[in-house]
Amino acid sequence: MDDELKDNVKSPSTWRRGFFMALFFVFYGVGEALLFLIVLFQFLHSLIAGSRNDVLLEFSENLCTYLYEVMLYVTYNAEERPFPFAPWPNEEAYAEAPLYE
């Protein structure tokens, strides 16, 4: 058991994963702040113009998908690293994909 623990602690892949997890937590924080600004802007746009901003609506959907991908990665539910190591999520790719695998 002690040898297995030592091997796990010395494993470069474990430390690499930890580094990327910390990096993606920073990305998640930035994305969450951006999402808050989008929500605020959409509300104000709705008040003033009486309708939603469709371009921002599409981007916010993709941003939500990205934040979901980040959470899957940092919780070990996915092995593939999200953007910028993979393509930015879009609704076409996720419209055909199952919600749970």
Side-chain angles (χ1 to χ4, degrees):
M1 181 74 172
D2 289 333
D3 291 335
E4 185 178 337
L5 178 62
K6 286 179 186 178
D7 290 341
N8 291 340
V9 170
K10 291 180 181 180
S11 172
S13 64
T14 303
W15 288 103
R16 189 176 315 113
R17 175 76 182 227
F19 169 76
F20 283 116
M21 287 170 66
L23 181 66
F24 281 114
F25 266 118
V26 171
F27 290 170
Y28 185 85
V30 170
E32 195 175 46
L34 183 58
L35 190 61
F36 174 76
L37 293 174
I38 290 171
V39 167
L40 185 62
F41 180 81
Q42 281 285 37
F43 179 73
L44 293 175
H45 189 274
S46 177
L47 280 177
I48 296 167
S51 65
R52 302 178 297 190
N53 183 316
D54 291 332
V55 174
L56 198 54
L57 191 65
E58 181 180 332
F59 176 73
S60 64
E61 183 178 6
N62 295 339
L63 179 61
C64 289
T65 303
Y66 173 69
L67 294 175
Y68 177 67
E69 287 179 355
V70 168
M71 285 293 99
L72 287 176
Y73 181 76
V74 300
T75 59
Y76 283 85
N77 284 296
E79 292 300 318
E80 185 178 347
R81 290 182 214 128
F83 180 84
F85 300 97
W88 179 256
N90 60 39
E91 66 277 354
E92 289 89 24
Y94 284 91
E96 300 167 0
L99 291 178
Y100 301 102
E101 294 180 8

